[in-house]
Amino acid sequence: RIQILFEVYKMDYARSFAHNDTIMDFLRQPKVILRFITTFIMMLIFSCVLDKGYVSNVCLYNGKQGACNFTVGISVIAFFVGIFFLVLTFFWDRIQNPVTRKYVVFVDFVYCGFWAFLFFIDFCYITDSWRKTPKAVIPTHAKNNLQFTIICSFVSIVLLAFQSFMAFKEMNDIQNEASGFESGSGNYGGQPFPPHTENAGNYQGPYAS
């Protein structure tokens, strides 16, 4: 019994290391690192605006409520969507159907592209509003938060656009894998073409008796 318990303990111990390796491999993926950074920046954006962007429920971006509300709205949505895609990426190996994978990556591609466009609009909007804002009446700590939000909005455009590009490439890879063609390898369905073994000396035509 002691030996059995010891074997079970060794199996659990080895399984715990395998699980840790899986997590570390997950965290090392470039798209996961990029998604973590983007999600964190989204949290910074809506936190800065909600913390110092309003005074007596008035937006400090030249008093335009739409500037603050729009910034908070798209960043909060992007934050939760980013978490959703991180969880989906962690369980990506369990999605075996290539059609399902293609749809997931397509949604990621459309979302990142569209949200990059929304943040481009937001960046232009809050930058113009900040340019027209009288700086003398704004406290220093609030001023820093609002300026930092503008910088983060610009960075979000770049990050989301790059994620959209990565999703587009992954979508093409899935399409090639589903069709069974490995681009540039001369293989179809993962199997090489059989070698040419024709023997000219022993060749018989199709009508030979």
Side-chain angles (χ1 to χ4, degrees):
R1 291 182 178 179
I2 295 177
Q3 185 177 2
I4 294 175
L5 290 174
F6 182 69
E7 292 296 330
V8 172
Y9 172 77
K10 286 199 303 182
M11 292 176 61
D12 291 339
Y13 189 69
R15 191 179 297 113
S16 65
F17 271 103
H19 183 65
N20 290 336
D21 290 341
T22 301
I23 295 177
M24 293 306 298
D25 291 339
F26 167 74
L27 295 176
R28 291 191 188 102
Q29 296 182 45
K31 64 179 180 180
V32 173
I33 297 174
L34 192 63
R35 185 86 66 183
F36 264 120
I37 294 174
T38 306
T39 304
F40 179 71
I41 288 178
M42 297 304 164
M43 183 182 66
L44 292 179
I45 291 175
F46 69 76
S47 298
C48 287
V49 176
L50 290 177
D51 183 35
K52 302 298 180 182
Y54 295 92
V55 173
S56 301
N57 293 326
V58 177
C59 180
L60 293 181
Y61 283 117
N62 200 30
K64 295 183 178 180
Q65 296 297 110
C68 291
N69 295 341
F70 184 70
T71 303
V72 171
I74 62 175
S75 58
V76 167
I77 294 174
F79 174 76
F80 286 108
V81 173
I83 293 177
F84 170 76
F85 274 112
L86 283 172
V87 174
L88 201 61
T89 305
F90 183 76
F91 294 104
W92 183 252
D93 291 337
R94 300 187 183 183
I95 305 176
Q96 301 297 331
N97 191 340
V99 177
T100 304
R101 285 190 169 196
K102 183 178 178 180
Y103 282 136
V104 171
V105 177
F106 177 74
V107 172
D108 188 19
F109 163 70
V110 173
Y111 156 74
C112 290
F114 183 61
W115 241 251
F117 173 71
L118 290 182
F119 268 101
F120 173 75
I121 296 176
D122 180 65
F123 172 74
C124 296
Y125 188 21
I126 61 178
T127 301
D128 182 66
S129 300
W130 178 251
R131 181 178 60 84
K132 299 176 181 177
T133 302
K135 311 300 188 298
V137 297
I138 299 179
T140 303
H141 54 278
K143 185 185 300 183
N144 294 335
N145 277 27
L146 297 176
Q147 291 174 337
F148 183 70
T149 301
I150 294 174
I151 296 173
C152 288
S153 296
F154 177 77
V155 174
S156 298
I157 299 171
V158 179
L159 293 176
L160 288 168
F162 188 66
Q163 287 180 74
S164 182
F165 173 73
M166 293 179 64
F168 178 75
K169 288 186 62 178
E170 187 174 0
M171 192 166 52
N172 286 337
D173 293 340
I174 293 173
Q175 180 66 32
N176 293 335
E177 182 181 353
S179 63
F181 180 77
E182 297 181 4
S183 178
S185 63
N187 297 345
Y188 185 83
Q191 299 296 329
F193 291 112
H196 185 66
T197 58
E198 178 183 336
N199 190 338
N202 298 328
Y203 175 77
Q204 292 183 344
Y207 301 104
S209 58

